Amino acid sequence: MRVTTTALFAQACRYSTIGHQRLNNVLMFGSSLPPLLHQASCTSSIPRLVPPDMNMSRPPVPASAPKRFIVPIQKQQDLESGRRALTHLDTKRASDAVVGLDEYNDRRQLPKCHPGTHKDLWERITDWRTKRNEEKMFWILGTVGVGKSTVAQAVAEECRATGTLFAAFFFPRFDPCDIRRCLIPTLAFQFATQRPDYKQLVINSLAENPNLLSEDLCSQFTKLIARPLRILKVHGVFGSRESLAVVIIDGPDSCQDIEAQHEFTKLLRFINDRSGNNSELPILCMICSRPESYLKTLFFGFDNCIRKELLVDDDNAKNDVGRFLLNGFAEIRQRFPESFDNKNEEWPLPDDSQRLHKEALGHFAFASIVLNYVGDVKKHDPRNRLTTCLRSISTTSPKVENPSTNSPRSIIASPKVENPFRALYKHYDTILSTVPKHSLDARRILGFCALYPGNGLSTSDIGNFLGLDGNTFYSAVEKLHSVLAIPKSPDTIAGIVQFYNTSFPRFLLHSQEFTKDLPEIHADIAIRAIKWYNLWIEKDCILEDKSMCSFDPPQATWELSTLDKVGPFSAGICWEACCRVSGPNVTRILEALSTFNFCHLTQENSRDARGLTKLINWLFSVSVDTYSVALLV
């Protein structure tokens, strides 16, 4: 027998206490009751629904409002249990990850997307959200500071402004959270605050299983997000591509727990497998991250995914950063008119602007930090603060002028000198902390690239020079893909290893954590250079008795021809590298030099004659007697 809405309401009122409790908690949306919910209403002696045509405490829903439906409420004891579970959901979520909360300082400090920047990316995102296509997952990858988080926040804010159902999770960069504990509760809580019908479905799920939040990520996602959204889709809530729910996850690379990484990648595979064009899962999922190796392996294996990399050296990105700097300095001039008496004065000077732009490339974070530092309203000194920035970027690698004082502390900036890039270095500190402290191989690679930039050596050349085979090399740099360009091809010209931005090697040479390993790194590079230089000039021996020139040659570890590059490189840095060594490691250098065949040196192969003079001076400075020096050379 069909029960009319009036009869339902009258029957509910007979149960005054329980009835009023239930009436105050049901959801009154939609213009008609779905058949499924009519059936649910007729099977209980106590009504579970309030007809939408009754004038209760809520105002009538406009006819133009999105279609919603009424969700059946569980038994009273289950409802109370569900409320407690929802409160538990609130405590489990990461409040820092909710977009727009004023107390979330990291979100407020992010720069807004500058007008006119990332045009190609925005067009791609718009097409992805509005046009019917197969891909429902979008991966934005890029190194530190290229604008990934800013784009993610802008997309979230646009969803909120247009009324699109969305949930966003921004991983805290400097305060790691337990992704297994808070990711799904955070997303579900945000969905629930936007749609009461979704909220009731979540309450029902939590009432059925109060321990749901202790299950794995895939189970939480299925029961708290996928299943409720599918129910909404069945009842016509998601009628077009534009109306699909959007999930934004930014910064999963900051999660360093191996088990949590494994569970997160398992979740993404789970979502990808269920997000095809014919899938009932009404979700568009955007992930923004650094190009960590495990994420690259994951996403490049997805067919149902759009991938967009933000490159530091991309021409469009560099032009965007140039406009960003130009407009930013113009705003600073307006903010401090008293600092610029001459309105026609060109500030910054063209050469200074060019230096900053050349340093920044497409690195939005670098440009933003410069503008924030120069335009600090508390300091009120834009001219001098710009000078400080320019001085801090004048040198990217240490120059050893006084070998006798060549200690780690002597090549880094004094702690009393203000560092304009402290905020950027904080990000770099987090990345460096992911490298195991016992992994000297990773630090040797970083030190080599920082101390000898622009070396032109390929991956295999560097591996051979340092005595690292392919597996050891790639394992050592696994955590460094966000700051170091590590090509797949080991032997081609495209295989050159280099930093994405010169600010990172500068950071390394300021970092106490890194510089404590510098003495060992200097000594290792010097010894390797001596051996490779010795091997390279062996063919030029002028002695008749070649047996007098025997030595222990270095072994190539990559099985690739490398001497033609590594030999000349070693010749160019060998003596300088020796002069950078101090302390107990001097003995190791002297032992290596004692095996070097100076008789092989000729005018043609001696790439650094001036360096040889420095070497002799260095030998005397480290208290080597004249007789020993004569024996060496």
Side-chain angles (χ1 to χ4, degrees):
M1 179 182 70
R2 187 177 182 84
V3 181
T4 64
T5 56
T6 305
L8 280 171
F9 178 70
Q11 187 179 4
C13 290
R14 294 194 190 103
Y15 301 87
S16 56
T17 303
I18 297 178
H20 283 297
Q21 282 182 324
R22 294 187 176 225
L23 292 174
N24 288 331
N25 289 284
V26 290
L27 308 171
M28 302 180 300
F29 296 95
S31 57
S32 62
L33 296 176
L36 175 64
L37 302 182
H38 272 299
Q39 183 178 0
S41 302
C42 297
T43 58
S44 175
S45 59
I46 298 178
R48 296 174 181 240
L49 301 170
V50 174
D53 54 343
M54 299 305 296
N55 184 19
M56 299 300 291
S57 59
R58 293 180 183 267
V61 180
S64 59
K67 184 176 181 180
R68 298 179 186 246
F69 74 98
I70 304 174
V71 181
I73 301 178
Q74 306 285 0
K75 296 178 181 178
Q76 182 65 23
Q77 59 269 30
D78 290 342
L79 179 60
E80 294 303 325
S81 176
R83 286 179 181 151
R84 289 194 297 271
L86 191 62
T87 301
H88 186 48
L89 180 74
D90 188 13
T91 61
K92 287 284 188 180
R93 72 184 175 94
S95 60
D96 286 353
V98 180
V99 174
L101 289 182
D102 290 339
E103 63 267 29
Y104 189 23
N105 293 327
D106 280 357
R107 296 260 67 74
R108 289 191 298 164
Q109 291 172 359
L110 276 177
K112 301 291 185 182
C113 269
H114 193 67
T117 60
H118 295 305
K119 285 184 177 180
D120 293 341
L121 178 59
W122 277 111
E123 290 176 2
R124 195 82 180 271
I125 292 173
T126 301
D127 289 345
W128 172 67
R129 287 187 54 202
T130 58
K131 294 184 179 179
R132 183 176 180 83
N133 51 50
E134 185 68 22
E135 297 88 354
K136 288 190 177 179
M137 189 170 286
F138 199 124
W139 183 35
I140 299 176
L141 68 153
T143 61
V144 177
V146 293
K148 304 180 299 297
S149 296
T150 305
V151 171
Q153 177 164 297
V155 173
E157 291 176 350
E158 183 184 7
C159 289
R160 182 174 56 185
T162 57
T164 302
L165 181 64
F166 81 99
F169 190 97
F170 292 83
F171 277 80
R173 287 293 183 189
F174 311 119
D175 184 21
C177 62
D178 186 354
I179 183 175
R180 292 165 291 185
R181 180 187 65 83
C182 60
L183 175 60
I184 301 302
T186 301
L187 299 177
F189 189 88
Q190 290 181 68
F191 280 143
T193 61
Q194 298 170 68
R195 288 198 69 100
D197 42 9
Y198 174 91
K199 175 182 176 180
Q200 188 58 59
L201 290 168
V202 169
I203 288 178
N204 292 348
S205 296
L206 291 171
E208 292 173 358
N209 182 5
N211 296 320
L212 177 56
L213 299 182
S214 299
E215 297 182 3
D216 62 80
L217 285 178
C218 291
S219 296
Q220 291 183 45
F221 179 84
T222 298
K223 298 171 184 177
L224 292 178
I225 294 180
R227 187 179 297 166
L229 291 179
R230 283 196 188 104
I231 293 175
L232 295 180
K233 181 180 179 181
V234 168
H235 290 85
V237 171
F238 303 106
S240 63
R241 176 85 177 192
E242 295 92 327
S243 65
L244 296 183
V246 177
V247 172
I248 302 166
I249 301 177
D250 174 72
D253 48 89
S254 64
C255 175
Q256 298 303 322
D257 184 273
I258 301 299
E259 293 184 2
Q261 289 178 2
H262 175 73
E263 195 162 343
F264 179 68
T265 55
K266 182 179 178 181
L267 172 65
L268 291 182
R269 289 192 184 95
F270 183 84
I271 296 174
N272 180 72
D273 292 343
R274 291 157 179 79
S275 299
N277 216 17
N278 298 322
S279 170
E280 294 182 356
L281 185 59
I283 283 181
L284 297 176
C285 187
M286 173 180 287
I287 313 292
C288 302
S289 76
R290 298 167 186 165
E292 299 298 341
S293 58
Y294 76 96
L295 291 172
K296 290 167 74 174
T297 301
L298 175 74
F299 282 106
F300 280 106
F302 289 167
D303 294 330
N304 184 31
C305 177
I306 296 174
R307 293 172 288 270
K308 175 64 177 177
E309 184 171 7
L310 304 182
L311 299 171
V312 172
D313 57 352
D314 177 74
D315 289 339
N316 290 331
K318 289 189 286 189
N319 292 335
D320 287 346
V321 169
R323 286 193 297 270
F324 180 52
L325 284 169
L326 181 65
N327 294 338
F329 281 122
E331 292 176 3
I332 291 173
R333 289 196 63 152
Q334 294 177 357
R335 193 182 308 156
F336 304 104
E338 66 281 0
S339 298
F340 304 95
D341 297 332
N342 184 358
K343 295 182 179 180
N344 297 323
E345 177 188 4
E346 194 169 11
W347 183 88
L349 295 175
D351 288 347
D352 294 340
S353 296
Q354 186 176 3
R355 284 178 62 196
L356 288 172
H357 193 188
K358 183 179 179 181
E359 181 77 14
L361 298 176
H363 202 238
F364 276 93
F366 181 90
S368 179
I369 287 171
V370 168
L371 294 175
N372 289 338
Y373 180 82
V374 174
D376 191 340
V377 294
K378 295 180 181 179
K379 301 299 182 180
H380 226 270
D381 190 13
R383 289 182 179 274
N384 286 330
R385 291 176 76 79
L386 174 61
T387 301
T388 301
C389 283
L390 293 170
R391 285 175 180 170
S392 69
I393 66 174
S394 60
T395 305
T396 59
S397 61
K399 298 296 183 183
V400 181
E401 299 297 339
N402 186 358
S404 63
T405 60
N406 181 26
S407 64
R409 183 63 64 181
S410 70
I411 65 170
I412 62 176
S414 168
K416 296 181 180 180
V417 178
E418 185 177 11
N419 179 13
F421 303 104
R422 186 177 292 107
L424 182 60
Y425 286 6
K426 190 175 180 181
H427 284 279
Y428 290 155
D429 260 324
T430 303
I431 295 171
L432 189 62
S433 68
T434 65
V435 179
K437 294 184 178 180
H438 63 272
S439 178
L440 185 58
D441 289 336
R443 286 168 166 75
R444 290 170 67 204
I445 295 170
L446 286 174
F448 177 83
C449 294
L451 295 169
Y452 302 98
N455 53 66
L457 298 183
S458 68
T459 310
S460 61
D461 293 333
I462 295 176
N464 280 326
F465 178 85
L466 296 176
L468 304 174
D469 60 40
N471 291 334
T472 304
F473 185 95
Y474 284 117
S475 176
V477 299
E478 183 179 5
K479 303 289 186 180
L480 299 172
H481 285 258
S482 57
V483 292
L484 199 61
I486 306 165
K488 295 179 181 179
S489 176
D491 57 343
T492 63
I493 190 64
I496 293 176
V497 179
Q498 56 189 347
F499 292 107
Y500 286 113
N501 191 275
T502 56
S503 59
F504 187 76
R506 189 183 306 112
F507 152 77
L508 289 176
L509 301 176
H510 284 75
S511 167
Q512 292 185 2
E513 178 65 28
F514 181 78
T515 54
K516 68 182 182 182
D517 295 319
L518 268 181
E520 292 294 326
I521 293 172
H522 280 309
D524 182 69
I525 292 175
I527 292 172
R528 302 296 301 182
I530 290 171
K531 290 185 176 182
W532 281 104
Y533 190 8
N534 210 8
L535 178 62
W536 184 59
I537 61 176
E538 182 185 23
K539 62 182 184 300
D540 298 319
C541 181
I542 60 175
L543 299 179
E544 294 182 2
D545 185 2
K546 307 295 182 182
S547 62
M548 297 178 60
C549 302
S550 60
F551 67 99
D552 184 21
Q555 300 297 318
T557 52
W558 284 60
E559 298 182 358
L560 293 170
S561 177
T562 194
L563 186 58
D564 289 344
K565 285 188 176 180
V566 174
F569 168 77
S570 299
I573 71 156
C574 185
W575 312 134
E576 178 188 0
C578 291
C579 294
R580 289 182 172 184
V581 178
S582 61
N585 289 304
V586 169
T587 303
R588 296 174 57 199
I589 299 302
L590 295 178
E591 291 176 355
L593 286 173
S594 68
T595 67
F596 187 84
N597 296 309
F598 286 92
C599 62
H600 293 173
L601 288 178
T602 65
Q603 189 172 0
E604 289 74 20
N605 65 30
S606 182
R607 296 296 182 93
D608 189 11
R610 185 177 299 178
L612 186 58
T613 303
K614 288 184 178 180
L615 174 68
I616 296 173
N617 291 333
W618 173 79
L619 289 171
F620 283 118
S621 72
V622 294
S623 301
V624 178
D625 58 83
T626 305
Y627 178 71
S628 299
V629 173
L631 288 178
L632 285 174
V633 301

